[in-house]
Amino acid sequence: MKQYMLAVHSVAGAPTRSDADTQIAYAQTDKINNELQAAGAWVFGGGLLPPESATVVRVDDGRATMTDGPFAETKEQLGGFWVIQCADLDEALAWAEKCAQACMEPVEVRPFQGLPEN
Amino acid sequence: MDLGLVYREEYGRCVATLVRLLGDINLAEEAVQDAFAVAVEKWETLPPNPGAWIVTTARNRAIDRLRRESTREARHAQALLLYQKDEPGEVGPVKDDQLRLIFTCCHPALAPDARTALTLRLLAGLEVPEIARAYLVPEPTIAQRIVRAKKKIRDAHIPYRVPRAEELPDRLPPVLTVLYLMFNEGYTATTGTLIRTDLCAEAIRLARELAALMPDEFEALGLLALLLLTEARRPARLGPAGELILLADQDRSLWDRALIAEGHDLVRRCLRRNRPGPYQIQAAINAVHTDGAATDWSQVLALYDQLWPLMPTPIVALNRAVAVAEVHGPAVALAVLDDVDIPGYHRLPATRADLLVRLGRDAEAAAAYDQAIALAGNETERDFLLARRAGLHR
């Protein structure tokens, strides 16, 4: 088994979704979460609050400093993510397709670095 | 005994089998290269089945290598795995191994440029400098593309398998593209080099396996037919002095009748299904060229008109213009060409020059030939254009 992160990217300034669509996306995402769990692919997942809620901690010369806001001031920000486990990239991509359809946002698939394979 | 020939014929097959046994592309390549190094020392005559010999030797070499490096647990486990595998088969599984490797190399998660480079490297056994030359790209760029692609296959766990039937429509097109490009590299590159002829043969062999595995994928059959009908004309393509001979002037008795019959049969099978895709239509165009004593250009033009909406590329526009010239005359074709732009491609000014000659506008034709000559990278084609230019009335 191999672990992958499916990262949901939201684009700041993109046309805002209607409340109805947002509710649909939430409901669909709940359904996918259940499917992932039933299939034994679920490791962890969750949606994130907007980038304004972020704080970045840096350590320079042993001194920690904190700044308000996200690490990179880009238009695309991480909106949420799943960590899943499956046999290979094709399985991960099949889940990503369902996830992207459910949450109505693009989903980036990234393998984890050298995690133990069971 | 020609070891170079064995290398070109067996390399891709052996690498594909070793990838299956080892689950590791780099290790598979190293092991096959090791085995060929052993063959150079040991072979006095050709063994009965050189491919099987190479595979067995490569497998043993890989076991040695893994043992030496087995300080790491994982390597040891990999070596153990190898011991448990059956003796490599001689023919049976080999076909599937190669298809699996092609589909791995052409996975949509890999960049399109990397797909071609990796396939040419692993399945056609081309070296990095050869691939770089074929694409007019610096060697380090190609090397980097190949390294990155292999790394992604390993890190992201891109599976080594032929896709399931429902995935095929999405996964097949890049594979067809790669085989088509592989054949073209062999067909239109610098003349006379054996390696390039081999490349055509290799592309045809792989297209055959693909078509056999997926008889319901009509574009796969179309691609095979296209390659066969193109290859069939190769014996007539160059004259005694290695000079280029155009289709109209070719000695048709030199064409390979068996390949033409096979190609026509495939085209008929596709036509019965009547779901034409770009490869099937291009195959049909080549079927018209190879049917009877002369090309029926109105049929060719009708097929290009059908191809155009599916494949609106400038190359198709250029080829269509050639058919327009035969059906409606050079003046009409020249007007069609005015809308075509393919920067750096010598065939465009060469075609324009040919049309201008037919219209008796020799001075303009000479200028167009000069442009084409400056752009032609292939010596045979350049010599052809120089001869044409020299033949103009001044």
Side-chain angles (χ1 to χ4, degrees), chain B residues 93-134:
Chain B
V94 172
K95 292 183 178 177
D96 267 354
D97 283 345
Q98 277 186 287
L99 280 177
R100 279 197 269 178
L101 190 52
I102 294 183
F103 276 103
T104 307
C105 293
C106 295
H107 196 281
L110 297 176
D113 288 345
R115 291 176 199 154
T116 336
L118 192 61
T119 308
L120 289 173
R121 173 76 203 98
L122 293 181
L123 283 130
L126 285 196
E127 304 292 342
V128 167
E130 291 177 297
I131 302 171
R133 231 180 305 140

Side-chain angles (χ1 to χ4, degrees), chain A residues 1-2 4 86-91 93 109 111-112 117, chain B residues 107-109 152 154-159 161 164 167 171:
Chain A
M1 291 298 245
K2 181 97 184 155
Y4 297 86
C86 52
D88 56 41
L89 183 67
D90 282 355
E91 280 187 21
L93 293 173
V109 180
F112 272 86
E117 300 180 20
Chain B
H107 196 281
K152 180 151 189 194
R154 195 190 60 212
D155 290 347
H157 265 220
I158 291 181
R161 65 179 178 86
R164 288 182 294 270
E167 296 169 316
R171 302 285 170 97

Side-chain angles (χ1 to χ4, degrees), chain B residues 38-330:
Chain B
V38 177
V40 171
E41 285 172 25
K42 289 206 171 161
W43 288 2
E44 279 158 12
T45 55
L46 215 56
N49 187 337
W53 192 99
I54 292 291
V55 166
T56 306
T57 309
R59 180 168 161 274
N60 294 336
R61 284 276 149 157
I63 291 173
D64 288 347
R65 223 178 239 268
L66 288 170
R67 272 217 209 101
R68 279 200 307 275
E69 297 168 11
S70 68
T71 45
R72 283 170 56 201
E73 195 89 341
R75 285 284 187 188
H76 202 62
Q78 206 176 10
L80 257 170
L81 188 79
L82 259 182
Y83 279 117
Q84 291 158 358
K85 294 265 165 87
D86 296 329
E87 277 297 313
E90 290 190 359
V91 184
V94 172
K95 292 183 178 177
D96 267 354
D97 283 345
Q98 277 186 287
L99 280 177
R100 279 197 269 178
L101 190 52
I102 294 183
F103 276 103
T104 307
C105 293
C106 295
H107 196 281
L110 297 176
D113 288 345
R115 291 176 199 154
T116 336
L118 192 61
T119 308
L120 289 173
R121 173 76 203 98
L122 293 181
L123 283 130
L126 285 196
E127 304 292 342
V128 167
E130 291 177 297
I131 302 171
R133 231 180 305 140
Y135 286 96
L136 303 171
V137 167
E139 280 180 37
T141 309
I142 293 288
Q144 197 186 20
R145 273 179 203 165
I146 292 177
V147 168
R148 282 192 55 191
K150 282 187 195 166
K151 198 165 174 317
K152 180 151 189 194
I153 290 173
R154 195 190 60 212
D155 290 347
H157 265 220
I158 291 181
Y160 174 57
R161 65 179 178 86
V162 175
R164 288 182 294 270
E166 73 270 21
E167 296 169 316
L168 270 179
D170 284 344
R171 302 285 170 97
L172 197 57
V175 172
L176 297 176
T177 307
V178 158
L179 292 184
Y180 179 70
L181 289 173
M182 194 170 173
F183 181 88
N184 278 351
E185 283 314 322
Y187 200 75
T188 58
T190 326
T191 88
T193 58
L194 240 181
I195 303 169
R196 295 301 161 90
T197 314
D198 274 16
L199 210 49
C200 292
E202 187 65 9
I204 288 179
R205 204 177 56 74
L206 290 170
R208 271 188 208 282
E209 288 187 3
L210 196 65
L213 188 89
M214 293 151 200
D216 296 332
E217 291 292 337
F218 277 63
E219 277 294 272
L221 301 189
L223 174 74
L224 176 59
L226 171 62
L227 301 192
L228 293 174
L229 293 170
T230 311
E231 175 72 8
R233 302 199 305 263
R234 195 164 49 81
R237 202 164 157 244
L238 295 179
E243 76 279 16
L244 190 67
I245 300 179
L246 292 187
L247 181 65
D249 306 320
Q250 286 177 8
D251 175 358
R252 292 179 172 231
S253 68
L254 296 175
W255 290 357
D256 187 323
R257 304 318 306 180
L259 289 184
I260 290 175
E262 195 186 348
H264 279 209
D265 188 50
L266 285 167
V267 170
R268 274 193 295 273
R269 266 172 72 189
C270 290
L271 286 178
R272 275 203 296 276
R273 168 78 165 249
N274 197 24
R275 282 181 54 194
Y279 289 113
Q280 292 176 64
I281 299 175
Q282 290 177 83
I285 290 169
N286 279 279
V288 176
H289 283 313
T290 47
D291 193 29
T295 296
D296 177 348
W297 283 101
S298 59
Q299 267 199 62
V300 170
L301 181 56
L303 286 164
Y304 271 116
D305 288 341
Q306 206 183 340
L307 180 61
W308 175 250
L310 299 176
M311 219 182 152
T313 66
I315 301 277
V316 172
L318 171 61
N319 291 335
R320 188 183 163 275
V322 172
V324 168
E326 298 298 331
V327 177
H328 301 298

